[in-house]
Amino acid sequence: MAAPAALQRSVVSPAGRHTASLIFLHGSGDTGQGARGWIKQILNQDMAFQHIKVIYPTAPARPYTPMKGAFSNVWFDRYKISNDCPEHIESIDSMCRGLTDLINDEVKNGIAKNRILIGGFSMGGGMAMHLAYRFHQDLAGVFALSSFLNKDSAVYQALKRNESALPELFQCHGTADELVLYSWGEETNKMLKSLGVSASLHTFPNLNHELSRTEIEKLKSWIVKKLPVEASETNQ
């Protein structure tokens, strides 16, 4: 099979020496540039760090079944937007290969896997959970904002057979979400915890399928906790 084309990406460079990387996966129908712009609008500035490079890749356009097969920038296909149906595993696994190339690019730049975080909004968070918990269990952590996994997810199947240490999960979800129900996010959190993942779920009352400033500030604090400035940097 031909190697997937390199994903387009929008990058926020660190202000100082690059010693860690963060990959943020957008929601369905968006782009890396769009996700970066949305966060910038909420914070009134880029989500930026002294030592962490922030990468916003764009999913390639593909036919998307919930939109009657119309082309959309999605990480994978879904049979429907529901947690009670099979996963479209072929498209998920294909994209895991493309995103693995992105992780490998960072490793080639001298960033260790345990200094890389991956996560995203909605479908992006679902994609990140597949990527980390099935293929890259040595990453620093995973975040999932307004996201879920299907009831019989391949992630759960993989973790049932797993013996090794797993990346921590930081999850956020609004109680007023009408697209990805809060209960779907809660169920995902409980399932992953039962399978050995250290997982937190931050609840945002009255928040719909969107991001909030409080949520991003909380996420930023968690990012810096998981990817601290290295001791050698503080002495320079």
Side-chain angles (χ1 to χ4, degrees):
M1 189 181 144
L7 297 167
Q8 288 185 312
R9 58 200 84 168
S10 180
V11 175
V12 181
S13 297
R17 192 165 71 87
H18 175 208
T19 64
S21 294
L22 166 74
I23 299 169
F24 189 107
L25 306 178
H26 62 74
S28 61
D30 202 356
T31 61
Q33 192 68 43
R36 175 184 175 176
W38 189 19
I39 290 172
K40 191 173 183 175
Q41 190 180 3
I42 294 166
L43 295 178
N44 293 318
Q45 60 185 19
D46 267 315
M47 181 166 71
F49 303 90
Q50 186 64 27
H51 60 297
I52 305 167
K53 174 175 159 185
V54 186
I55 305 161
Y56 296 94
T58 294
R62 60 155 294 131
Y64 190 44
T65 302
M67 287 172 55
K68 297 186 170 63
F71 270 68
S72 186
N73 292 95
V74 289
W75 298 110
F76 51 87
D77 199 7
R78 293 189 189 282
Y79 294 106
K80 56 183 176 177
I81 300 174
S82 162
N83 71 339
D84 203 8
C85 68
E87 291 175 318
H88 195 286
I89 201 73
E90 186 191 348
S91 59
I92 292 171
D93 288 358
S94 168
M95 189 50 63
C96 281
R97 290 191 287 274
L99 289 165
T100 292
D101 289 345
L102 189 57
I103 291 170
N104 289 341
D105 284 349
E106 293 310 294
V107 173
K108 282 174 199 156
N109 284 330
I111 306 301
K113 291 271 290 286
N114 66 2
R115 296 283 291 167
I116 300 173
L117 276 178
I118 186 151
F121 175 71
S122 192
M123 176 185 263
M127 186 74 237
M129 290 187 276
H130 273 274
L131 189 66
Y133 293 119
R134 292 176 58 213
F135 301 107
H136 297 281
Q137 295 177 348
D138 47 353
L139 290 172
V142 186
F143 61 93
L145 316 174
S146 311
S147 306
F148 74 101
L149 291 170
N150 294 36
K151 284 183 189 289
D152 291 319
S153 176
V155 173
Y156 302 149
Q157 308 312 318
L159 293 183
K160 280 173 186 165
R161 301 185 296 271
N162 176 65
E163 302 283 311
S164 55
L166 296 163
E168 183 185 323
L169 174 68
F170 178 94
Q171 227 180 321
C172 296
H173 217 116
T175 58
D177 196 325
E178 292 169 1
L179 184 67
V180 175
L181 302 185
Y182 176 79
S183 60
W184 299 358
E186 194 174 36
E187 188 179 294
T188 299
N189 189 271
K190 283 179 181 160
M191 272 299 289
L192 289 171
K193 270 186 178 160
S194 75
L195 292 165
V197 176
S198 168
S200 59
L201 175 59
H202 303 269
T203 303
F204 293 84
N206 307 319
L207 186 70
N208 203 318
H209 196 63
E210 57 195 339
L211 296 172
S212 77
R213 188 182 181 112
T214 318
E215 178 184 15
I216 297 171
E217 295 293 1
K218 250 189 186 169
L219 173 64
K220 281 185 73 177
S221 301
W222 179 79
I223 289 166
V224 173
K225 193 180 92 190
K226 299 307 293 180
L227 300 175
V229 172
E230 292 179 332
S232 61
E233 294 171 61
T234 55
N235 302 332
Q236 287 173 6

Short mmCIF file of all heavy atoms in Angstrom, two decimals, residues 179-222:
data_model
loop_
_atom_site.label_atom_id
_atom_site.label_comp_id
_atom_site.label_asym_id
_atom_site.label_seq_id
_atom_site.Cartn_x
_atom_site.Cartn_y
_atom_site.Cartn_z
N LEU A 179 -24.85 17.05 20.36
CA LEU A 179 -24.31 16.25 19.27
C LEU A 179 -23.61 14.99 19.82
O LEU A 179 -23.91 13.87 19.42
CB LEU A 179 -23.32 17.07 18.42
CG LEU A 179 -22.77 16.33 17.20
CD1 LEU A 179 -23.88 16.08 16.17
CD2 LEU A 179 -21.64 17.11 16.55
N VAL A 180 -22.67 15.22 20.74
CA VAL A 180 -22.02 14.11 21.44
C VAL A 180 -22.50 14.20 22.89
O VAL A 180 -22.05 15.06 23.65
CB VAL A 180 -20.48 14.23 21.36
CG1 VAL A 180 -19.81 13.14 22.20
CG2 VAL A 180 -20.01 14.13 19.91
N LEU A 181 -23.44 13.35 23.25
CA LEU A 181 -24.08 13.46 24.56
C LEU A 181 -23.07 13.32 25.69
O LEU A 181 -22.11 12.54 25.59
CB LEU A 181 -25.17 12.39 24.71
CG LEU A 181 -26.29 12.42 23.66
CD1 LEU A 181 -27.36 11.39 23.99
CD2 LEU A 181 -26.92 13.81 23.55
N TYR A 182 -23.33 14.06 26.78
CA TYR A 182 -22.44 13.99 27.95
C TYR A 182 -22.33 12.54 28.44
O TYR A 182 -21.25 12.09 28.81
CB TYR A 182 -22.97 14.90 29.06
CG TYR A 182 -22.16 14.80 30.32
CD1 TYR A 182 -20.93 15.48 30.43
CD2 TYR A 182 -22.56 14.01 31.39
CE1 TYR A 182 -20.15 15.37 31.56
CE2 TYR A 182 -21.78 13.89 32.53
CZ TYR A 182 -20.57 14.57 32.61
OH TYR A 182 -19.79 14.44 33.73
N SER A 183 -23.43 11.82 28.39
CA SER A 183 -23.43 10.42 28.87
C SER A 183 -22.48 9.54 28.06
O SER A 183 -21.90 8.59 28.59
CB SER A 183 -24.85 9.84 28.85
OG SER A 183 -25.37 9.87 27.53
N TRP A 184 -22.29 9.86 26.77
CA TRP A 184 -21.36 9.08 25.94
C TRP A 184 -19.92 9.30 26.42
O TRP A 184 -19.13 8.38 26.50
CB TRP A 184 -21.45 9.47 24.47
CG TRP A 184 -22.78 9.26 23.82
CD1 TRP A 184 -23.91 8.72 24.38
CD2 TRP A 184 -23.12 9.60 22.47
NE1 TRP A 184 -24.93 8.71 23.46
CE2 TRP A 184 -24.48 9.24 22.29
CE3 TRP A 184 -22.43 10.17 21.42
CZ2 TRP A 184 -25.15 9.43 21.07
CZ3 TRP A 184 -23.09 10.37 20.21
CH2 TRP A 184 -24.44 10.00 20.04
N GLY A 185 -19.60 10.56 26.73
CA GLY A 185 -18.27 10.90 27.24
C GLY A 185 -18.03 10.26 28.60
O GLY A 185 -16.94 9.73 28.88
N GLU A 186 -19.07 10.29 29.44
CA GLU A 186 -18.98 9.72 30.79
C GLU A 186 -18.77 8.20 30.72
O GLU A 186 -17.95 7.64 31.45
CB GLU A 186 -20.28 10.05 31.52
CG GLU A 186 -20.24 9.83 33.01
CD GLU A 186 -21.53 10.31 33.67
OE1 GLU A 186 -22.62 10.18 33.08
OE2 GLU A 186 -21.43 10.82 34.79
N GLU A 187 -19.49 7.56 29.82
CA GLU A 187 -19.37 6.10 29.66
C GLU A 187 -17.97 5.73 29.16
O GLU A 187 -17.37 4.75 29.63
CB GLU A 187 -20.43 5.62 28.65
CG GLU A 187 -20.53 4.11 28.54
CD GLU A 187 -21.61 3.69 27.54
OE1 GLU A 187 -22.80 3.94 27.82
OE2 GLU A 187 -21.25 3.16 26.49
N THR A 188 -17.43 6.53 28.22
CA THR A 188 -16.06 6.32 27.72
C THR A 188 -15.06 6.41 28.86
O THR A 188 -14.18 5.57 29.01
CB THR A 188 -15.74 7.38 26.63
OG1 THR A 188 -16.66 7.24 25.55
CG2 THR A 188 -14.32 7.24 26.11
N ASN A 189 -15.23 7.43 29.71
CA ASN A 189 -14.35 7.65 30.85
C ASN A 189 -14.39 6.45 31.80
O ASN A 189 -13.33 5.94 32.23
CB ASN A 189 -14.77 8.94 31.56
CG ASN A 189 -13.79 9.37 32.62
OD1 ASN A 189 -13.89 8.96 33.77
ND2 ASN A 189 -12.83 10.19 32.24
N LYS A 190 -15.59 5.97 32.10
CA LYS A 190 -15.74 4.84 33.04
C LYS A 190 -15.12 3.56 32.46
O LYS A 190 -14.45 2.81 33.17
CB LYS A 190 -17.22 4.60 33.35
CG LYS A 190 -17.80 5.60 34.33
CD LYS A 190 -19.28 5.34 34.59
CE LYS A 190 -19.83 6.37 35.56
NZ LYS A 190 -21.30 6.47 35.48
N MET A 191 -15.34 3.33 31.17
CA MET A 191 -14.80 2.13 30.52
C MET A 191 -13.28 2.15 30.54
O MET A 191 -12.63 1.15 30.87
CB MET A 191 -15.28 2.03 29.07
CG MET A 191 -16.61 1.32 28.90
SD MET A 191 -16.59 -0.40 29.45
CE MET A 191 -15.57 -1.18 28.19
N LEU A 192 -12.68 3.30 30.18
CA LEU A 192 -11.22 3.39 30.14
C LEU A 192 -10.62 3.24 31.54
O LEU A 192 -9.60 2.57 31.71
CB LEU A 192 -10.79 4.71 29.49
CG LEU A 192 -11.06 4.78 27.97
CD1 LEU A 192 -10.81 6.18 27.44
CD2 LEU A 192 -10.21 3.77 27.20
N LYS A 193 -11.28 3.82 32.54
CA LYS A 193 -10.82 3.65 33.92
C LYS A 193 -10.83 2.18 34.31
O LYS A 193 -9.89 1.68 34.93
CB LYS A 193 -11.73 4.43 34.87
CG LYS A 193 -11.30 5.86 35.12
CD LYS A 193 -12.18 6.50 36.17
CE LYS A 193 -11.72 7.91 36.47
NZ LYS A 193 -12.77 8.71 37.09
N SER A 194 -11.91 1.48 33.94
CA SER A 194 -12.04 0.06 34.32
C SER A 194 -10.97 -0.79 33.64
O SER A 194 -10.66 -1.89 34.10
CB SER A 194 -13.44 -0.47 33.97
OG SER A 194 -13.55 -0.68 32.57
N LEU A 195 -10.38 -0.26 32.56
CA LEU A 195 -9.35 -0.99 31.81
C LEU A 195 -7.94 -0.50 32.14
O LEU A 195 -6.98 -0.80 31.43
CB LEU A 195 -9.62 -0.87 30.30
CG LEU A 195 -10.89 -1.60 29.82
CD1 LEU A 195 -11.30 -1.13 28.44
CD2 LEU A 195 -10.69 -3.11 29.84
N GLY A 196 -7.82 0.28 33.22
CA GLY A 196 -6.49 0.64 33.72
C GLY A 196 -5.96 2.00 33.33
O GLY A 196 -4.81 2.32 33.62
N VAL A 197 -6.79 2.82 32.68
CA VAL A 197 -6.34 4.17 32.30
C VAL A 197 -6.60 5.13 33.46
O VAL A 197 -7.69 5.13 34.03
CB VAL A 197 -7.08 4.68 31.03
CG1 VAL A 197 -6.68 6.12 30.70
CG2 VAL A 197 -6.80 3.77 29.84
N SER A 198 -5.61 5.93 33.80
CA SER A 198 -5.81 7.00 34.77
C SER A 198 -6.51 8.14 34.02
O SER A 198 -5.90 8.81 33.18
CB SER A 198 -4.44 7.46 35.31
OG SER A 198 -4.60 8.67 36.01
N ALA A 199 -7.82 8.30 34.28
CA ALA A 199 -8.63 9.22 33.47
C ALA A 199 -9.40 10.19 34.34
O ALA A 199 -10.03 9.79 35.32
CB ALA A 199 -9.60 8.41 32.61
N SER A 200 -9.34 11.47 33.98
CA SER A 200 -10.15 12.48 34.67
C SER A 200 -11.22 12.97 33.71
O SER A 200 -11.01 12.98 32.49
CB SER A 200 -9.28 13.65 35.13
OG SER A 200 -8.64 14.24 34.02
N LEU A 201 -12.38 13.37 34.25
CA LEU A 201 -13.45 13.93 33.42
C LEU A 201 -13.88 15.26 34.04
O LEU A 201 -14.37 15.29 35.17
CB LEU A 201 -14.64 12.97 33.33
CG LEU A 201 -15.89 13.49 32.60
CD1 LEU A 201 -15.57 13.88 31.17
CD2 LEU A 201 -17.01 12.45 32.62
N HIS A 202 -13.67 16.34 33.30
CA HIS A 202 -14.03 17.67 33.78
C HIS A 202 -15.36 18.07 33.13
O HIS A 202 -15.47 18.09 31.90
CB HIS A 202 -12.93 18.67 33.43
CG HIS A 202 -11.60 18.28 34.00
ND1 HIS A 202 -11.15 18.67 35.24
CD2 HIS A 202 -10.64 17.43 33.52
CE1 HIS A 202 -9.97 18.12 35.48
NE2 HIS A 202 -9.64 17.37 34.45
N THR A 203 -16.33 18.34 33.96
CA THR A 203 -17.70 18.61 33.51
C THR A 203 -17.95 20.11 33.44
O THR A 203 -17.58 20.85 34.37
CB THR A 203 -18.69 17.97 34.51
OG1 THR A 203 -18.38 16.57 34.60
CG2 THR A 203 -20.13 18.14 34.07
N PHE A 204 -18.57 20.54 32.33
CA PHE A 204 -18.86 21.96 32.14
C PHE A 204 -20.37 22.16 31.99
O PHE A 204 -20.93 21.87 30.94
CB PHE A 204 -18.09 22.51 30.93
CG PHE A 204 -16.61 22.52 31.16
CD1 PHE A 204 -15.86 21.37 30.94
CD2 PHE A 204 -15.98 23.64 31.67
CE1 PHE A 204 -14.49 21.36 31.21
CE2 PHE A 204 -14.61 23.64 31.94
CZ PHE A 204 -13.87 22.50 31.70
N PRO A 205 -21.03 22.61 33.07
CA PRO A 205 -22.49 22.79 33.03
C PRO A 205 -22.89 23.79 31.94
O PRO A 205 -22.20 24.79 31.72
CB PRO A 205 -22.84 23.33 34.42
CG PRO A 205 -21.66 22.99 35.28
CD PRO A 205 -20.47 22.99 34.37
N ASN A 206 -23.96 23.49 31.23
CA ASN A 206 -24.56 24.37 30.20
C ASN A 206 -23.69 24.56 28.97
O ASN A 206 -24.04 25.36 28.09
CB ASN A 206 -24.91 25.75 30.79
CG ASN A 206 -25.78 25.62 32.03
OD1 ASN A 206 -26.68 24.78 32.06
ND2 ASN A 206 -25.49 26.39 33.07
N LEU A 207 -22.57 23.86 28.87
CA LEU A 207 -21.73 23.98 27.67
C LEU A 207 -22.23 23.00 26.61
O LEU A 207 -22.44 21.83 26.91
CB LEU A 207 -20.26 23.69 28.01
CG LEU A 207 -19.24 23.92 26.89
CD1 LEU A 207 -19.07 25.41 26.58
CD2 LEU A 207 -17.88 23.30 27.25
N ASN A 208 -22.43 23.51 25.39
CA ASN A 208 -22.89 22.67 24.28
C ASN A 208 -21.67 22.02 23.61
O ASN A 208 -20.64 21.86 24.23
CB ASN A 208 -23.72 23.52 23.30
CG ASN A 208 -24.68 22.66 22.47
OD1 ASN A 208 -24.35 21.58 22.00
ND2 ASN A 208 -25.90 23.15 22.30
N HIS A 209 -21.78 21.69 22.32
CA HIS A 209 -20.68 21.03 21.60
C HIS A 209 -19.70 22.10 21.15
O HIS A 209 -19.68 22.51 19.98
CB HIS A 209 -21.24 20.24 20.41
CG HIS A 209 -20.27 19.24 19.86
ND1 HIS A 209 -19.79 18.17 20.60
CD2 HIS A 209 -19.66 19.14 18.66
CE1 HIS A 209 -18.94 17.47 19.86
NE2 HIS A 209 -18.84 18.04 18.68
N GLU A 210 -18.90 22.58 22.10
CA GLU A 210 -18.01 23.73 21.83
C GLU A 210 -16.89 23.75 22.87
O GLU A 210 -16.86 22.93 23.79
CB GLU A 210 -18.83 25.03 21.90
CG GLU A 210 -19.53 25.22 23.23
CD GLU A 210 -20.61 26.29 23.21
OE1 GLU A 210 -20.57 27.14 22.32
OE2 GLU A 210 -21.47 26.27 24.10
N LEU A 211 -15.98 24.68 22.70
CA LEU A 211 -14.89 24.89 23.66
C LEU A 211 -15.18 26.14 24.48
O LEU A 211 -15.82 27.06 23.99
CB LEU A 211 -13.56 25.08 22.92
CG LEU A 211 -13.04 23.90 22.09
CD1 LEU A 211 -11.82 24.33 21.28
CD2 LEU A 211 -12.69 22.71 22.98
N SER A 212 -14.68 26.17 25.70
CA SER A 212 -14.81 27.39 26.52
C SER A 212 -13.44 27.81 27.01
O SER A 212 -12.50 27.01 27.07
CB SER A 212 -15.73 27.15 27.71
OG SER A 212 -15.04 26.43 28.73
N ARG A 213 -13.35 29.06 27.41
CA ARG A 213 -12.07 29.60 27.89
C ARG A 213 -11.59 28.85 29.14
O ARG A 213 -10.41 28.48 29.25
CB ARG A 213 -12.22 31.10 28.18
CG ARG A 213 -10.89 31.73 28.50
CD ARG A 213 -10.98 33.21 28.85
NE ARG A 213 -9.62 33.70 29.11
CZ ARG A 213 -8.98 34.55 28.35
NH1 ARG A 213 -9.52 35.03 27.26
NH2 ARG A 213 -7.76 34.94 28.66
N THR A 214 -12.52 28.62 30.08
CA THR A 214 -12.15 27.90 31.32
C THR A 214 -11.59 26.53 31.00
O THR A 214 -10.61 26.08 31.61
CB THR A 214 -13.41 27.72 32.21
OG1 THR A 214 -14.16 28.93 32.20
CG2 THR A 214 -13.07 27.34 33.63
N GLU A 215 -12.22 25.86 30.04
CA GLU A 215 -11.79 24.52 29.63
C GLU A 215 -10.38 24.55 29.04
O GLU A 215 -9.52 23.73 29.41
CB GLU A 215 -12.79 24.01 28.58
CG GLU A 215 -12.51 22.67 27.99
CD GLU A 215 -13.51 22.31 26.89
OE1 GLU A 215 -14.24 23.20 26.39
OE2 GLU A 215 -13.57 21.13 26.53
N ILE A 216 -10.10 25.51 28.17
CA ILE A 216 -8.78 25.59 27.54
C ILE A 216 -7.71 25.96 28.57
O ILE A 216 -6.60 25.43 28.54
CB ILE A 216 -8.78 26.56 26.34
CG1 ILE A 216 -9.73 26.05 25.25
CG2 ILE A 216 -7.37 26.69 25.75
CD1 ILE A 216 -9.98 27.02 24.13
N GLU A 217 -8.06 26.83 29.52
CA GLU A 217 -7.10 27.19 30.57
C GLU A 217 -6.78 25.96 31.43
O GLU A 217 -5.62 25.72 31.81
CB GLU A 217 -7.66 28.32 31.46
CG GLU A 217 -7.85 29.65 30.75
CD GLU A 217 -6.56 30.34 30.30
OE1 GLU A 217 -5.46 29.79 30.51
OE2 GLU A 217 -6.65 31.44 29.70
N LYS A 218 -7.81 25.15 31.72
CA LYS A 218 -7.60 23.90 32.48
C LYS A 218 -6.71 22.94 31.69
O LYS A 218 -5.82 22.30 32.25
CB LYS A 218 -8.96 23.22 32.73
CG LYS A 218 -9.39 23.27 34.15
CD LYS A 218 -10.61 22.41 34.42
CE LYS A 218 -11.04 22.67 35.86
NZ LYS A 218 -12.30 22.15 36.22
N LEU A 219 -6.98 22.85 30.39
CA LEU A 219 -6.19 21.98 29.52
C LEU A 219 -4.73 22.44 29.50
O LEU A 219 -3.81 21.62 29.62
CB LEU A 219 -6.76 21.99 28.10
CG LEU A 219 -5.94 21.26 27.02
CD1 LEU A 219 -5.84 19.77 27.31
CD2 LEU A 219 -6.55 21.49 25.63
N LYS A 220 -4.51 23.75 29.39
CA LYS A 220 -3.15 24.29 29.35
C LYS A 220 -2.39 23.93 30.63
O LYS A 220 -1.21 23.56 30.58
CB LYS A 220 -3.17 25.81 29.18
CG LYS A 220 -3.41 26.27 27.74
CD LYS A 220 -3.32 27.77 27.60
CE LYS A 220 -1.89 28.27 27.70
NZ LYS A 220 -1.78 29.73 27.49
N SER A 221 -3.05 24.04 31.78
CA SER A 221 -2.40 23.69 33.06
C SER A 221 -2.00 22.22 33.07
O SER A 221 -0.92 21.86 33.53
CB SER A 221 -3.34 23.96 34.24
OG SER A 221 -3.71 25.31 34.26
N TRP A 222 -2.89 21.37 32.55
CA TRP A 222 -2.60 19.93 32.50
C TRP A 222 -1.44 19.64 31.54
O TRP A 222 -0.56 18.83 31.85
CB TRP A 222 -3.86 19.16 32.08
CG TRP A 222 -3.65 17.68 31.98
CD1 TRP A 222 -3.61 16.78 33.03
CD2 TRP A 222 -3.45 16.90 30.79
NE1 TRP A 222 -3.40 15.51 32.55
CE2 TRP A 222 -3.30 15.55 31.18
CE3 TRP A 222 -3.39 17.22 29.43
CZ2 TRP A 222 -3.09 14.52 30.25
CZ3 TRP A 222 -3.18 16.20 28.51
CH2 TRP A 222 -3.04 14.87 28.92
#
